[in-house]
């Protein structure tokens, strides 16, 4: 990085400098950029004698590049040997910006770049020349011609500021275009003598491994087969929805439920699928859709937990559906074989043999590629449509021979008779459950979203049109069969009415047939109720219906055989389930998931060999319904979250209708089969919990994130409108930690009593920067927040730049937090090194405590006799991911002398600092470092980890000497409620008079019981005011000797001058005035050693010093004397507002 200038230059000077910089002779510069240059190098394009004028009549902002300029693979014209006429075709006096390319310095432009076609886009010329950025060698695409040059004519001005362009917003080098990098804010805003920051992806557009793989595939996949909305979506959906049900179950449903309820059943199923279709369309048009269908839509909307769980069962359901459809096909073939007495072995084994042959043939079609599979689908659709037309044509042709079998042609009396239900062993819902699987299959088009030319257009148009067409056909078949076929018929020609007045009154009687004999005997073989092949009877040519059944089953099987591997491949690419990554690899120009096809084939074959699918069929339907429910819920959830990123171009959806659709899907699941619905929910829940536990490292901007933010904002605002109440008081701590991993003890202890109770903010004041680097601050903020999350510490990291520690603390006291979520307690580490450094640091430290009290904060100081700061022992970032370590960012490890300790952050330029990559501290483990530690470091390290362990049976001693509102008592109570501290008992120590010890103990016991705080013992100290031992008093006086002003030994004026320049000095007057208080601190230390030397933690009232009256050196000496040579000690002083109450 180039050195920053020593002082800011005047505006005129900087302008002059800039002009000089722009006007440098390009011929004198080396061909490649030096390390200090940015990727934008501005120079003046040489004027050429024979330059032509700009050819663009419409705007001077457009640039015309002559053909010769596009195709000349020469060295850049600003190279050392540049031809003076190289810029002859450039417009006069135009500026340009070169893109620095370290990989091509001094060499010819890459052949790719030279051969690339220039694309005219406003005033910019693009080519495919890519640059290797210094941040890991990713390809970054920039505005340039083959000479890596960008002509700076935006609205007629010379600027590197780019105009809006779609390529800036691409996530990867997608098939639709290349990812371009816009000039960063630093490149536009920073001073010219300063190197701009490394460019990266703006707005969190870092690519996940899956997206990088997608980018690579997209770059490689030239000549890929892509489908339009008809071939890709409409055909697939229609084939999948028109299943076997249309030909062999629809007539039976009409017989059971009647025309009216059959239409209601079809209508209900269509409502569910239409709502799901609308929801699918909304999600599919809210951004670019890649392969993976239902899984991709759900995972990108609701996050990896929902997507990962539904993706796996959706892929499995499609694989088993292949078996279901193939067995349906095999059963029909076996029936035909039985009709001509051509059974090979027995019925079950024949189904297995035919099913296996069929699924192998289907696999062959699939492996031949998507184009062949699409051609097969078109052929099957033609057969299917022919069969449907054949039925409707046949229904108008009335043959006498068909009448005994119940087909009389269209007749009003038949229609009226069949209008109502006639359930025989069934109910409305059981009939609905049988029909509903016929309506599924609406995601067949969406499942191959990666093979669609324009998924955003194709999925809505194809899916909704398919639902409409198939719904109309189902309704048409229901009304048609109910209007021309009676429910029961014998098939016997002699069952005609011989006498004028028969004993029957149904429609068949009016038409000359009496089927009452077989009705009463319940042995009719024909009619809607009894003959599943009734549509073959009605049709013009029966075998075409059989061909239609074959077509319906095979097309559905083929669609499922293609869908399952595609969905599974997308799931594996995202690495949601790490063990399945081998299935992510695609082969060939279409990126076919060959391993996925084989796996689907194996699953399908296994279920075909079972040949009994009555149990598995309802589970498949429920798996499909679970995905429909989640797609509907995704739209509701995204709309509810109200994220600005939710902008579907498909507008015909409604969040409440989508919610109703989700509920309907769940209801239908239980209607179809309650135990299968329960099983489905258990499986989804199990997978959801697994993925949530594994926490895959992906960030797709899901609506779950958006809703979390929305709820947090709403609740925070709502909280701000409510007054605080004592019962709801929580210690919300601003902890001055510096880098969070440099003082683990203070973080562990404070986290123990704030976790799930109150707010914890890790404050970090960074001082000593002449030019604060705010970008580094933001980077650190994100990285150390991740560190806290990784270490399961529920806290926020908040760094600030400030002139000194006090100013930074004031910033944080005033601005940290949000609404009611603001800190109310300042937590500091004890300043162990106060006697070794500049005493002005002590003045600053004590001023921070005064500022906290001025802001109505409580104050807490933690002292460990070994110290707190371990940053000179362990690596600053030992727990950050290796990816972050190798990302090229330089991390400074703050080194502090072993014997010193401070709560303040010492990250000043004077600190000993090493870069992370070179520091041995990062290579060593906490427990077994490569470099042996000295004894004091070993003790410090052990002490810093003591609060991470479970505290055994011991005591937390509370010395509640002064009433500060109850914070001194509340903190130990919260601590002992936690798992690590639950074995520790609270012992309370209070001051009192010798003649009233029992009375004081009873009074305190009563108060604690009213507060409902458990304690093991109360000790009343009657001897607090006893004079301390002489040796302790003399030790105190020896300690403060260097810090005394000794004004009696000098002139008054000199004394005042010294006091003003060194305000921390202790005056003789002050020392005398506070002699009793000094003695009390010395005496308390003696009592602490006597009573609490074995405690796990001591919590004690922090002594107060009157601001302006007690010097910082004396106050620091009090704290030192009070807390030295003791177990871990918390000095606590609340803000004297009650934090405990015994009222309900």
């Amino acid at each position: 990085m180039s050195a920053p200038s020593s002082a800011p230059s005047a505006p005129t000077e900087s302008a002059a400098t800039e002009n000089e910089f722009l006007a440098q002779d390009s011929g004198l510069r080396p061909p490649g950029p030096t390390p200090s240059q940015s990727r934008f190098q501005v120079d003046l394009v040489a004027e050429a004698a024979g330059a032509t004028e700009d050819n663009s009549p419409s705007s001077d902002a457009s640039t015309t590049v002559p053909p010769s300029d596009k195709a000349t693979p020469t060295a850049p014209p600003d190279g050392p040997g540049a031809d003076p006429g190289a810029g002859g075709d450039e417009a006069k006096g135009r500026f340009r910006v070169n893109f620095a390319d370290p990989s091509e310095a001094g060499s010819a432009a890459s052949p790719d770049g030279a051969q690339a076609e220039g694309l005219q886009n406003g005033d910019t010329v693009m080519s495919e020349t890519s640059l290797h950025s210094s941040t890991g060698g990713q390809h970054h695409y920039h505005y340039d011609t083959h000479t890596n040059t960008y002509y700076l004519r935006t609205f007629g001005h010379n600027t590197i500021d780019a105009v809006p362009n779609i390529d800036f917003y691409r996530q990867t080098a997608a098939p639709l275009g290349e990812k371009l990098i816009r000039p960063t804010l630093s490149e536009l805003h920073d001073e010219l003598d300063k190197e701009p920051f490394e460019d990266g992806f703006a707005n969190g557009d870092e690519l996940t491994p899956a997206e990088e793989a997608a980018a690579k595939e997209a770059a490689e996949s030239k000549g890929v087969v892509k489908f339009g909305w008809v071939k890709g979506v409409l055909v697939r959906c229609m084939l999948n929805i028109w299943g076997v049900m249309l030909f062999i179950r629809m007539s039976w449903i009409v017989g059971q439920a009647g025309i009216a309820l059959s239409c209601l059943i079809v209508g209900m199923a269509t409502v569910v699928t239409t709502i799901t279709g609308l929801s699918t369309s909304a999600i599919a048009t809210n951004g670019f859709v890649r392969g993976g269908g239902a899984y991709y839509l759900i995972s990108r909307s609701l996050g990896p937990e929902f997507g990962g769980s539904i993706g796996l069962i959706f892929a499995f359901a499609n694989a088993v559906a292949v078996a279901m459809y193939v067995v349906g096909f095999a059963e029909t073939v076996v029936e035909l074989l039985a009709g001509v007495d051509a059974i090979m072995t027995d019925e079950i084994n024949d189904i297995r043999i035919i099913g296996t042959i069929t699924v192998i043939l289907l696999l062959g079609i699939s492996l031949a590629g998507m184009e062949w599979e699409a051609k097969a689908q078109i052929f099957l659709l033609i057969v299917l449509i022919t069969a449907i037309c054949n039925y409707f044509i046949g229904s108008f042709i009335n043959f006498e021979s068909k009448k005994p079998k119940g087909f009389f042609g269209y007749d009003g009396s038949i229609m009226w008779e069949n209008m109502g239900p006639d359930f025989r062993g069934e109910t409305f819902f059981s009939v609905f459950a049988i029909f509903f699987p016929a309506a599924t299959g609406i995601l067949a088009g969406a499942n191959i979203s990666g093979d669609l030319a324009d998924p955003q257009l194709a999925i809505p148009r194809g899916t909704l049109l398919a639902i409409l067409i198939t719904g109309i056909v189902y309704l048409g078949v229901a009304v048609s069969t109910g209007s021309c076929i009676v429910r029961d018929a014998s098939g016997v020609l002699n069952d005609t009415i011989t006498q004028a007045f028969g004993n029957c009154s149904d429609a068949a009687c009016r038409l000359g047939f009496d089927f009452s004999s077989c009705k009463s005997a319940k042995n009719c073989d024909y009619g809607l109720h009894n003959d599943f092949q009734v549509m073959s009877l009605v049709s013009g040519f029966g075998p075409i219906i059989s061909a239609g059944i074959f077509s319906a089953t095979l097309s559905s099987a083929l669609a499922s055989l293609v869908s399952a591997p595609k969905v599974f491949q997308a799931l594996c690419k995202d690495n949601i389930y790490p063990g399945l990554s081998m299935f992510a690899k695609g082969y060939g120009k279409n990126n076919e998931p060959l391993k996925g096809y084989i796996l689907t084939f194996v699953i399908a074959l296994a279920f075909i060999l079972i040949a009994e699918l009555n149990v598995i069929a309802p589970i498949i339907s429920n798996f499909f319904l679970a995905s429909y429910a989640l797609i509907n819920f995704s739209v509701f959830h995204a709309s509810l979250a109200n994220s600005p990123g939710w902008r579907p171009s498909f507008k015909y959806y409604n969040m409440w209708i989508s919610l109703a659709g989700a509920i309907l899907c769940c209801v239908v699941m239980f209607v179809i089969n309650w135990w299968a619905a329960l099983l489905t929910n258990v499986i989804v829940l199990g997978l959801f919990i697994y993925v949530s536990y594994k926490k895959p490292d992906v960030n797709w901007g899901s609506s779950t994130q958006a809703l979390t933010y929305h709820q947090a904002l709403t609740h925070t605002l709502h909280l701000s409108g409510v007054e605080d109440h004592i019962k709801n008081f929580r210690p919300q701590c601003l902890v001055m930690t510096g880098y969070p991993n440099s003082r683990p003890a203070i973080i562990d202890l404070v986290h123990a009593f704030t976790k799930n109770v109150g707010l914890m903010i890790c404050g970090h004041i960074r001082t000593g920067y002449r030019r604060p680097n705010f970008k580094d601050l933001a980077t650190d903020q994100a990285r150390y927040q991740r560190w806290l999350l990784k270490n399961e510490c529920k806290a926020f990291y908040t760094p600030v730049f400030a002139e000194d520690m006090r100013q930074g603390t004031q910033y944080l006291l005033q601005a940290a937090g949000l609404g009611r979520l603001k800190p109310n307690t300042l937590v500091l580490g004890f300043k162990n090194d106060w006697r070794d450094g500049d005493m002005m640091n002590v003045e600053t430290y004590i001023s921070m405590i005064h500022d906290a009290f001025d802001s109505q904060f409580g104050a807490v100081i933690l002292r460990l006799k070994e110290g707190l700061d371990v940053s000179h022992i362990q690596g600053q970032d030992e727990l950050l991911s290796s990816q972050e370590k190798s990302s090229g960012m330089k991390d400074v490890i703050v080194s502090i002398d072993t014997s010193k300790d401070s709560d303040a952050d010492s990250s000043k330029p004077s600190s000993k600092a090493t870069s992370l990559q070179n520091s041995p501290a990062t290579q060593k483990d906490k427990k077994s470092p490569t470099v042996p530690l000295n004894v004091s470091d070993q003790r410090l390290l052990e002490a810093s980890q003591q609060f991470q362990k479970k505290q055994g049976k011991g005591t937390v001693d509370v010395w509640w000497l002064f009433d500060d509102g109850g914070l001194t008592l509340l903190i130990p109570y919260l601590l002992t409620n936690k798992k690590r501290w639950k074995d520790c008992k609270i012992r309370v120590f209070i001051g009192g008079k010798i003649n009233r010890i029992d009375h004081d103990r009873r009074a305190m016991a009563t108060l604690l019981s009213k507060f409902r705080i458990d304690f093991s013992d109360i000790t009343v100290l009657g001897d607090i005011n006893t004079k301390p031992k002489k040796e302790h008093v003399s030790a105190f006086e020896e300690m403060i000797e260097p810090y005394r002003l000794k004004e009696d030994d000098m002139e008054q004026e000199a004394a005042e001058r010294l006091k003003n320049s060194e305000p921390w000095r202790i005056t003789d007057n002050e020392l005398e005035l506070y002699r009793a208080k000094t003695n009390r601190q010395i005496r308390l230390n003696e009592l602490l050693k006597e009573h609490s030397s074995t405690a796990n933690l001591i919590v004690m009232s922090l002594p107060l010093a009157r601001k302006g009256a007690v010097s910082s050196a004396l106050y620091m000496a009090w704290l030192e004397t009070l807390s030295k040579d003791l177990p871990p000690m918390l000095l606590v002083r609340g803000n004297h507002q009650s934090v405990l109450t015994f009222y309900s």
Side-chain angles (χ1 to χ4, degrees):
M1 185 174 275
S2 56
S5 60
S6 57
S9 44
T12 51
E13 272 180 49
S14 64
T17 312
E18 187 170 342
N19 287 336
E20 282 172 24
F21 178 63
L22 293 173
Q24 287 174 355
D25 182 10
S26 58
L28 300 175
R29 283 215 317 264
T34 61
S36 65
Q37 290 169 333
S38 79
R39 67 182 171 99
F40 293 110
Q41 299 158 2
V42 187
D43 63 329
L44 191 62
V45 176
E47 274 189 29
T52 56
E53 289 184 7
D54 196 343
N55 294 329
S56 169
S58 58
S59 164
D60 69 343
S62 65
T63 303
T64 307
V65 180
S68 60
D69 191 29
K70 285 181 191 171
T72 318
T74 57
D78 58 346
D83 181 2
D89 292 332
E90 315 283 1
K92 292 184 182 179
R94 183 172 290 162
F95 290 95
R96 77 181 170 208
V97 167
N98 288 349
F99 286 80
D101 188 353
S103 65
E104 293 182 5
S107 67
S110 68
D112 288 345
Q115 308 281 332
E117 281 188 25
L119 301 174
Q120 196 71 30
N121 190 353
D123 69 317
T124 57
V125 181
M126 294 181 289
S127 85
E128 289 184 7
T129 305
S130 66
L131 296 176
H132 286 278
S133 94
S134 53
T135 57
Q138 287 174 321
H139 282 278
H140 292 287
Y141 295 88
H142 300 296
Y143 279 113
D144 60 327
T145 65
H146 70 279
T147 57
N148 285 346
T149 306
Y150 171 40
Y151 295 86
L152 303 174
R153 300 286 289 173
T154 305
F155 314 127
H157 296 287
N158 296 321
T159 174
I160 59 171
D161 218 352
V163 293
N165 187 315
I166 188 173
D167 295 325
F168 290 140
Y169 296 90
R170 295 198 191 286
Q171 217 171 20
T172 60
L176 303 177
E178 295 167 351
K179 165 82 176 167
L180 297 180
I181 305 288
R182 71 174 65 78
T184 66
L185 191 60
S186 306
E187 286 161 343
L188 296 170
H189 176 255
D190 284 359
E191 296 167 32
L192 278 173
D193 65 339
K194 190 175 175 186
E195 183 193 353
F197 302 119
E198 295 286 356
D199 57 78
F201 293 98
N203 306 324
D205 282 347
E206 291 90 350
L207 303 187
T208 62
E211 286 164 343
E212 282 175 11
K216 189 178 170 190
E217 283 163 20
E220 290 170 358
S221 57
K222 302 295 176 192
V224 174
V225 177
K226 295 286 184 185
F227 302 116
W229 71 273
V230 175
K231 198 191 276 191
V233 182
L234 181 68
V235 169
R236 278 166 202 287
C237 288
M238 283 167 60
L239 281 169
N240 239 23
I241 296 169
W242 279 332
V244 189
M245 293 292 178
L246 179 64
F247 297 107
I248 59 175
R249 284 291 183 277
M250 198 65 223
S251 55
W252 176 83
I253 288 166
V254 175
Q256 290 280 353
I259 295 172
L261 290 183
S262 295
C263 290
L264 181 63
I265 286 169
V266 173
M268 282 168 61
T270 308
V271 164
V272 173
T273 54
T274 304
I275 293 172
T276 309
L278 293 172
S279 299
T280 307
S281 304
I283 301 175
T285 58
N286 189 51
F288 184 71
V289 178
R290 290 203 185 89
Y295 159 72
Y296 186 87
L297 298 177
I298 293 169
S299 64
R300 293 329 188 255
S301 294
L302 288 177
E305 295 84 7
F306 280 110
S309 52
I310 212 69
L312 202 59
I313 66 164
F314 190 72
F316 178 74
N318 270 297
V320 179
V322 175
M324 189 172 75
Y325 294 130
V326 167
V327 168
F329 167 76
E331 280 179 352
T332 313
V333 173
V334 168
E335 278 178 26
L336 290 173
L337 290 173
V340 293
D341 202 20
I343 294 280
M344 290 177 277
T345 53
D346 58 72
E347 210 165 286
I348 287 285
N349 283 322
D350 276 14
I351 289 172
R352 288 170 180 158
I353 293 164
I354 294 165
T356 304
I357 294 166
T358 307
V359 82
I360 290 169
L361 286 173
L362 292 176
L363 178 69
I365 294 171
S366 300
L367 293 177
M370 289 294 289
E371 186 62 34
W372 280 95
E373 188 264 350
K375 285 173 183 170
Q377 294 280 33
I378 294 284
F379 169 74
L380 292 171
L381 182 68
I382 291 166
V383 173
L384 195 55
I385 290 172
T386 307
I388 293 168
C389 294
N390 176 42
Y391 161 75
F392 279 110
I393 291 165
S395 68
F396 289 99
I397 304 168
N398 194 0
F399 286 102
E400 286 296 321
S401 60
K402 294 181 181 179
K403 285 184 179 179
K405 295 181 179 179
F407 171 56
F408 293 95
Y410 290 103
D411 189 275
S413 58
I414 295 176
M415 184 179 182
W416 184 250
E417 185 178 271
N418 290 341
M419 192 60 74
D422 179 24
F423 293 115
R424 299 182 190 176
E426 301 288 343
T427 64
F428 174 79
F429 286 112
S430 68
V431 172
F432 175 76
I434 288 165
F435 171 76
F436 189 82
T440 59
I442 58 168
L443 295 181
N447 285 340
I448 61 153
S449 51
D451 295 294
L452 299 175
D454 183 2
Q456 289 183 281
L457 172 85
I459 291 173
R461 190 180 285 181
T463 305
L464 293 172
L465 193 58
I467 292 169
L468 178 68
I469 293 169
T470 53
I472 289 169
V473 169
Y474 275 129
L475 287 172
V477 169
V479 173
S480 170
T481 50
S483 302
C484 61
I485 307 163
V486 295
R487 280 190 165 114
D488 295 286
S490 62
V492 180
L493 279 168
N494 297 333
D495 279 351
T496 52
I497 297 174
T498 51
Q499 53 192 16
F501 301 102
N503 58 356
C504 65
S505 59
D506 56 22
C509 288
R510 295 194 195 93
L511 296 166
F513 279 82
D514 181 8
F515 300 127
S516 53
S517 57
C518 80
K519 267 192 202 175
S520 55
K522 295 187 179 175
N523 62 356
C524 296
D525 292 328
Y526 294 94
L528 295 174
H529 264 302
N530 312 299
D531 185 9
F532 288 153
Q533 302 288 341
V534 76
M535 284 182 73
S536 297
L537 170 75
V538 175
S539 65
F541 183 60
I544 294 182
I545 295 293
S546 297
I549 293 170
F550 294 165
S551 170
T553 50
L554 292 178
S555 64
S556 297
L558 196 53
S560 297
L561 186 56
V562 170
S563 295
K566 294 279 184 186
V567 172
F568 193 57
Q569 182 187 31
L571 179 71
C572 297
K573 270 184 187 171
D574 288 334
N575 209 21
I576 304 289
Y577 302 101
L580 303 176
S581 53
M582 60 177 287
F583 292 101
K585 185 169 168 48
Y587 298 87
K589 63 181 182 182
N590 261 41
N591 194 34
E592 296 289 351
L594 298 187
K595 289 177 182 172
Y597 281 128
I598 303 299
L599 180 67
T600 307
F601 168 75
V602 169
I603 293 170
L605 193 60
F607 282 100
I608 286 166
L609 294 177
I610 293 169
E612 284 292 332
L613 287 170
N614 292 342
V615 175
I616 205 78
I619 298 177
I620 295 170
S621 295
N622 275 305
F623 281 2
F624 284 136
L625 275 164
S627 11
Y628 294 175
L630 276 181
I631 285 176
N632 284 315
F633 183 70
S634 298
V635 172
F636 168 75
H637 201 267
S639 304
L640 185 67
N642 203 17
S643 168
W646 174 247
R647 302 184 300 274
S649 53
F650 182 85
K651 301 295 181 191
Y652 305 103
Y653 72 94
N654 179 281
M655 62 184 284
W656 300 110
I657 290 176
S658 293
L659 179 64
I663 295 166
L664 266 175
C665 288
C666 294
V667 169
V668 171
M669 283 170 73
F670 282 93
V671 164
I672 288 176
N673 192 308
W674 66 267
W675 61 262
L678 280 177
L679 182 65
T680 305
N681 286 326
V682 167
I683 293 171
V684 172
L685 189 64
L687 290 169
F688 179 89
I689 291 166
Y690 171 78
V691 178
S692 301
Y693 174 73
K694 294 296 282 184
K695 290 190 179 67
D697 188 21
V698 293
N699 182 6
W700 295 322
S702 66
S703 61
T704 311
Q705 289 173 321
L707 191 64
T708 304
Y709 173 85
H710 184 265
Q711 288 173 333
L713 184 62
T714 307
H715 291 149
T716 307
L717 287 167
H718 180 67
L719 200 60
S720 299
V722 182
E723 284 299 315
D724 281 334
H725 193 279
I726 300 171
K727 280 196 294 186
N728 293 327
F729 175 86
R730 297 160 186 268
Q732 308 205 113
C733 298
L734 171 60
V735 191
M736 308 306 287
T737 58
Y739 288 108
N741 55 352
S742 60
R743 292 171 181 78
I746 195 167
I747 283 191
D748 293 334
L749 185 63
V750 176
H751 185 246
F753 65 80
T754 58
K755 182 185 178 184
N756 298 332
V757 174
L759 176 72
M760 177 176 169
I761 294 177
C762 297
H764 182 184
I765 301 154
R766 299 177 66 168
T767 58
Y769 290 87
R770 196 160 49 81
R771 281 187 176 182
N773 187 335
F774 290 104
K775 186 167 183 181
D776 280 359
L777 193 74
T779 306
D780 275 357
Q781 205 280 332
R783 294 173 72 230
Y784 284 103
Q785 188 61 54
R786 275 202 296 277
W787 185 89
L788 288 167
L789 290 172
K790 207 167 189 177
N791 286 274
E792 296 180 354
C793 184
K794 297 183 176 180
F796 299 95
Y797 172 64
T798 309
V800 293
F801 279 119
E803 294 291 324
D804 58 36
M805 295 299 296
R806 184 180 184 184
Q807 188 191 59
T809 307
Q810 287 171 343
Y811 289 166
L812 289 169
L813 289 170
Q814 291 173 72
L818 189 69
R820 287 260 180 262
L821 297 178
K822 284 180 80 72
N824 53 27
T825 307
L826 178 70
V827 182
L828 300 167
F830 183 76
K831 194 167 179 60
N832 274 5
D833 62 350
W834 70 277
R835 283 178 285 177
D836 302 331
D838 183 355
M839 283 303 289
M840 285 310 289
N841 289 339
V842 176
E843 182 73 20
T844 302
Y845 179 75
I846 300 301
S847 299
M848 287 159 63
I849 299 171
H850 288 312
D851 290 338
F853 292 137
D854 287 344
S855 304
Q856 291 298 298
F857 272 55
V860 176
I861 298 174
L862 173 64
R863 179 167 192 183
L864 305 184
K865 59 186 172 205
E866 299 86 357
L868 291 170
D869 193 338
V870 297
S871 58
H872 59 287
I873 301 175
Q874 63 185 101
Q876 178 77 349
D877 287 321
E878 66 176 21
L879 291 173
L880 290 181
S881 68
S882 57
Q883 183 185 350
E884 288 174 317
K885 286 180 185 174
S886 60
S887 65
M889 298 180 214
K890 289 212 172 179
D891 303 294
V892 172
I893 295 178
V894 180
S895 300
I896 297 168
D897 193 5
T898 313
S899 60
K900 299 181 182 181
D901 189 68
S902 165
D903 76 294
D905 174 48
S906 310
S907 54
K908 298 177 184 174
S910 59
S911 300
K912 289 177 280 177
T914 51
S915 79
L916 176 63
Q917 284 76 10
N918 302 328
S919 167
T922 58
Q923 267 101 63
K924 63 186 184 216
D925 183 71
K926 260 198 269 192
K927 302 242 166 73
S928 55
T930 51
V931 182
L933 296 174
N934 59 38
V935 178
S936 63
D937 275 359
Q938 191 63 46
R939 281 186 191 147
L940 171 58
L941 204 53
E942 285 167 10
S944 73
Q945 294 165 2
Q946 64 182 310
F947 300 129
Q948 293 170 7
K949 302 191 290 274
K950 185 173 171 60
Q951 305 294 311
K953 290 195 173 179
T955 62
V956 174
D957 288 0
V958 181
W959 290 63
W960 195 17
L961 306 178
F962 307 104
D963 195 334
D964 60 348
L967 188 64
T968 311
L969 194 58
L970 181 62
I971 287 175
Y973 165 74
L974 293 173
L975 259 182
T976 52
N977 267 0
K978 293 298 193 282
K979 195 160 55 173
R980 281 182 191 164
W981 291 83
K982 68 176 182 184
D983 293 337
C984 292
K985 303 291 183 190
I986 292 178
R987 296 194 304 180
V988 180
F989 296 82
I990 57 169
K993 293 180 181 175
I994 292 175
N995 56 354
R996 294 186 56 183
I997 283 179
D998 284 343
H999 176 269
D1000 290 344
R1001 185 187 284 116
R1002 279 197 300 274
M1004 179 52 65
T1006 305
L1007 181 61
L1008 290 176
S1009 63
K1010 279 183 180 288
F1011 285 148
R1012 305 171 303 285
I1013 290 175
D1014 293 330
F1015 59 92
S1016 65
D1017 187 28
I1018 295 175
T1019 305
V1020 181
L1021 304 163
D1023 50 354
I1024 285 180
N1025 292 324
T1026 309
K1027 281 197 171 179
K1029 292 177 182 173
K1030 282 186 179 173
E1031 62 266 28
H1032 295 151
V1033 175
S1034 58
F1036 178 83
E1037 286 175 347
E1038 189 182 322
M1039 179 174 65
I1040 64 169
E1041 184 63 30
Y1043 312 116
R1044 291 180 59 179
L1045 181 63
K1046 298 181 181 173
E1047 70 269 29
D1048 294 345
D1049 300 347
M1050 62 177 80
E1051 291 180 15
Q1052 187 180 351
E1053 200 174 304
E1056 284 176 2
R1057 203 162 45 245
L1058 184 58
K1059 179 69 175 171
N1060 286 338
S1061 63
E1062 297 179 350
W1064 41 266
R1065 287 202 175 271
I1066 307 167
T1067 64
D1068 295 343
N1069 183 35
E1070 169 192 359
L1071 198 57
E1072 200 53 47
L1073 187 62
Y1074 292 106
R1075 175 71 60 191
K1077 195 162 186 176
T1078 301
N1079 287 342
R1080 190 190 304 141
Q1081 310 312 319
I1082 302 168
R1083 176 65 185 146
L1084 280 171
N1085 183 257
E1086 293 172 0
L1087 290 168
L1088 282 161
K1089 285 176 180 170
E1090 183 186 331
H1091 293 282
S1092 297
S1093 56
T1094 59
N1096 292 48
L1097 180 71
I1098 301 168
V1099 182
M1100 188 173 198
S1101 297
L1102 172 70
L1104 276 183
R1106 192 172 294 281
K1107 193 167 58 170
V1110 179
S1111 60
S1112 53
L1114 180 59
Y1115 188 35
M1116 202 70 217
W1118 287 350
L1119 298 181
E1120 170 73 32
T1121 305
L1122 177 65
S1123 58
K1124 72 177 178 187
D1125 301 329
L1126 286 167
M1129 188 167 191
L1130 267 184
L1131 295 167
V1132 179
R1133 177 67 70 152
N1135 63 359
H1136 286 246
Q1137 303 288 322
S1138 295
V1139 300
L1140 294 170
T1141 181
F1142 43 77
Y1143 295 107
S1144 59

